[in-house]
Each structure stands twice: as structure tokens, then as C-alpha cells.
């Protein structure tokens, strides 16, 4: 009977429905408009960080008081290593909650967005962008002992790939004779499930030239693999594997660590240094 009542409220656009019931309407409309990997991230936030708190409340009765209580819960969170959510992640959580209320205001006549009234938490660009020069990267990379990690990190630096694009690479994507690498896919792990999607953006599908030295590294790596098939993942590992290898290499080299994604920034800095037009 409760399910039937919520179903009728959904069909009549009555904002006395629960936040959970309204979110199903939001999901139904928004999901097909977004890239699969973008949606998977949003859905994970909605189902694990937002619905457990707001799910049973009526959407029309949620006030700034409930929003602030939820924000305080997110601010107080600590993982098993006693680490809180990052400022950028807190900002992402709040933006997603606010997006649901914006949708209710725009299409279902909700008077105000309580998330906007409560004010945001976190910061959009809290983490400082760092990058390495070629000299710094060359100082670091010999200290990465494992071949998959050393080759993968080299590909990230010399091509500017995103980590998800690296993890989705197959032998058929690399032409060592033509010295090119083709980006076709992106790899994500969501709640333990491995998902291969299209690249993050429209221009994500691209062909990248490879330096000769990197081709030699990739060739040596492929030769060390046991019977690789054209559509096998070249790097069947996780983001955490490469992050751990990077931290260990930095420690052995006596260098301050940078983020994995900063290797992409390093590549952009290298291209600018070489005179590539910035656009």
C-alpha cells in the first residue's frame, strides 16, 4: 500500500512523496542524458551518501535544518585510516544533493532549494595542482621496481592519458610500427564492479603519437606478457596499484609525491614548454 501511495504521488507530481520516490523520478530522467561513467559516479553518491539520510523524508518538508545536519555528518566522516572526505569530494556531494532539489524546483514546483539556502561545504579546487618536469620524472621512474607499474606510469607521463584510459588499453590500441596509441575506452571500478565505458568527453577518442623510447618500453612490457590477446587489458590492475607504486617510488627517490592525475598535468606542462599551441 505504501508503494502504491508513492507510485500515485509520483504520477501526480505531488511533492508529499518521499525523497527516495522523487529521486527515482530524477534518475529516470537524468540517467540517459549522461555518459555512463559520469552517471555511475553520480548514482554511487546518491545511493550511498544521500538516500540513507533523506530517503524517508517528504521532499516538501526537507528544510535547511536537515541539510545542515547531513552536511555535519559528511564533515565528521572518517574512514578506517581516520581520514575525512576531501574538500573537493564534500563539494561534489553537496552539488549532487542541490541538483536534485534544483530539478524539483524547475519541473515539479518546489518553492525553494533548501540545499542552496543552507550554503555549500567543501571547495571546488582545494587540491593544488602539481607537475613534474622531464628531469624530475626521469629521476623518479628508475625507483619504480615493478615492470607493469613502471611502464604504466611512463605511458601516463608521456601521453597524458587519464588513469581510466590507461587501465582500459588493449594491445590492439597500440601500433608500435606507426608509433601511435588510440584511446577508445575508459575503465572504472564502481562498488567492486569493473566497467568499461566510452571516454570521458566527446574529444576523448583520439590518436596520440608515441616517443620512440616509450615504444621500446611498451614493446619490452608486451614481450614479458604471457600470450596477450588483442582485446586483453594491457594493465589489468587498479588505480590503487599505480598510486601505491608511485608513492613507493617517490619515497625511494627522496621526492615529494604528486597525485597520479598530476602526471596528466605534467604532460600538458611539457607540451606547453615545447611550444604546442595551448588550445
Amino acid at each position: 500500500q505504501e508503494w502504491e501511495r508513492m507510485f500515485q504521488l509520483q504520477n501526480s507530481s505531488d511533492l508529499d512523496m518521499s525523497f527516495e520516490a522523487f529521486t527515482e523520478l530524477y534518475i529516470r530522467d537524468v540517467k540517459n542524458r549522461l555518459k555512463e561513467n559520469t552517471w555511475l559516479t553520480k548514482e554511487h553518491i546518491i545511493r550511498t551518501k544521500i538516500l540513507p539520510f533523506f530517503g524517508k523524508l517528504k521532499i516538501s518538508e526537507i528544510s535547511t535544518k536537515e541539510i545542515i545536519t547531513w552536511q555535519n555528518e559528511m564533515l565528521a566522516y572518517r574512514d578506517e585510516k581516520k581520514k575525512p572526505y576531501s574538500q573537493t569530494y564534500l563539494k561534489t556531494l553537496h552539488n549532487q544533493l542541490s541538483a536534485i532539489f534544483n530539478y524539483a524546483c524547475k519541473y515539479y514546483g518546489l518553492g525553494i532549494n533548501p540545499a542552496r539556502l543552507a550554503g555549500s561545504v567543501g571547495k571546488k579546487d582545494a587540491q593544488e595542482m602539481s607537475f613534474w618536469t622531464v628531469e624530475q620524472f626521469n629521476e623518479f621512474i628508475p625507483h619504480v621496481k615493478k615492470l607493469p607499474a613502471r611502464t604504466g606510469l611512463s605511458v601516463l607521463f608521456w601521453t597524458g592519458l587519464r588513469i581510466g584510459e590507461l587501465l582500459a588499453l588493449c594491445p590492439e590500441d597500440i601500433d608500435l610500427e606507426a608509433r601511435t596509441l588510440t584511446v577508445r575506452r575508459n575503465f572504472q571500478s564502481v562498488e567492486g564492479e569493473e566497467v568499461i565505458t566510452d571516454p570521458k568527453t566527446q574529444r576523448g577518442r583520439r590518436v596520440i603519437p608515441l616517443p620512440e623510447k616509450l615504444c621500446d618500453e611498451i614493446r619490452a612490457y608486451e614481450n614479458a606478457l604471457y600470450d596477450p590477446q588483442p582485446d586483453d587489458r594491457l594493465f589489468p590492475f587498479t588505480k590503487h596499484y599505480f598510486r601505491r607504486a608511485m608513492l613507493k617510488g617517490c619515497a625511494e627517490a627522496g621526492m615529494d609525491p604528486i597525485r597520479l592525475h598530476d602526471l596528466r598535468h605534467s604532460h600538458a606542462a611539457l607540451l606547453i614548454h615545447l611550444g604546442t599551441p595551448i588550445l
Side-chain angles (χ1 to χ4, degrees):
Q1 287 176 331
E2 175 63 15
W3 184 89
E4 181 188 35
R5 190 172 76 81
M6 286 301 159
F7 180 79
Q8 289 172 339
L9 289 172
Q10 283 177 321
N11 284 341
S12 62
S13 302
D14 191 321
L15 289 176
D16 271 349
M17 76 180 90
S18 68
F19 184 88
E20 186 174 28
F22 181 79
T23 300
E24 291 304 321
L25 292 177
Y26 170 81
I27 288 172
R28 199 181 305 163
D29 189 40
V30 172
K31 182 176 182 178
N32 293 327
R33 304 177 186 216
L34 299 172
K35 288 272 186 189
E36 186 181 357
N37 51 339
T38 303
W39 173 250
L40 288 170
T41 304
K42 278 178 162 292
E43 185 177 39
H44 178 72
I45 288 172
I46 291 169
R47 299 210 183 278
T48 63
K49 307 296 187 292
I50 296 177
L51 283 182
F53 185 93
F54 294 102
K56 302 306 177 189
L57 302 175
K58 288 183 179 179
I59 192 164
S60 58
E61 294 178 356
I62 296 173
S63 68
T64 53
K65 179 169 72 72
E66 283 81 29
I67 304 292
I68 290 168
T69 303
W70 172 78
Q71 288 176 340
N72 287 335
E73 275 196 17
M74 297 300 104
L75 287 163
Y77 171 84
R78 297 293 183 273
D79 65 15
E80 63 275 5
K81 295 181 180 176
K82 309 297 182 191
K83 285 183 65 177
Y85 290 137
S86 70
Q87 290 295 305
T88 46
Y89 190 63
L90 287 168
K91 179 76 173 173
T92 300
L93 296 181
H94 178 84
N95 286 351
Q96 182 52 65
L97 178 64
S98 191
I100 295 172
F101 283 111
N102 279 338
Y103 183 80
C105 292
K106 187 172 182 179
Y107 298 109
Y108 288 84
L110 185 67
I112 55 170
N113 177 344
R116 182 177 292 173
L117 287 181
S120 188
V121 288
K123 297 175 184 175
K124 184 180 180 182
D125 297 309
Q127 291 172 301
E128 186 177 341
M129 184 190 295
S130 304
F131 66 89
W132 280 341
T133 61
V134 172
E135 291 74 24
Q136 286 173 306
F137 181 76
N138 286 337
E139 182 185 343
F140 153 79
I141 199 67
H143 295 277
V144 180
K145 303 302 180 191
K146 292 186 177 177
L147 184 59
R150 193 165 67 247
T151 308
L153 292 171
S154 295
V155 171
L156 291 176
F157 181 85
W158 293 108
T159 66
L161 258 62
R162 298 176 177 89
I163 182 62
E165 294 168 342
L166 175 79
L167 296 177
L169 276 183
C170 299
E172 65 183 2
D173 298 326
I174 298 175
D175 187 335
L176 293 174
E177 297 305 315
R179 294 199 293 187
T180 60
L181 182 154
T182 303
V183 179
R184 314 173 202 267
R185 293 170 288 265
N186 188 68
F187 174 89
Q188 267 193 318
S189 180
V190 181
E191 294 183 323
E193 184 181 349
E194 297 181 349
V195 182
I196 301 286
T197 65
D198 288 337
K200 184 177 178 181
T201 63
Q202 281 296 106
R203 302 179 86 174
R205 290 176 178 272
R206 59 202 189 278
V207 178
I208 301 171
L210 299 176
E212 189 171 356
K213 186 179 175 184
L214 182 61
C215 286
D216 293 340
E217 281 191 57
I218 294 170
R219 186 177 289 109
Y221 174 64
E222 287 187 342
N223 288 339
L225 299 175
Y226 177 75
D227 192 25
Q229 298 303 304
D231 58 349
D232 284 348
R233 283 175 56 210
L234 265 179
F235 299 98
F237 304 99
T238 63
K239 179 179 178 179
H240 180 64
Y241 166 82
F242 284 101
R243 179 63 183 155
R244 200 170 60 233
M246 195 166 172
L247 289 172
K248 198 171 178 182
C250 287
E252 291 196 12
M255 299 171 65
D256 290 332
I258 62 175
R259 296 177 307 158
L260 210 49
H261 192 69
D262 288 329
L263 291 175
R264 180 166 161 84
H265 298 153
S266 300
H267 182 72
L270 171 61
L271 292 181
I272 291 168
H273 177 69
L274 293 174
T276 306
I278 194 162
L279 288 177

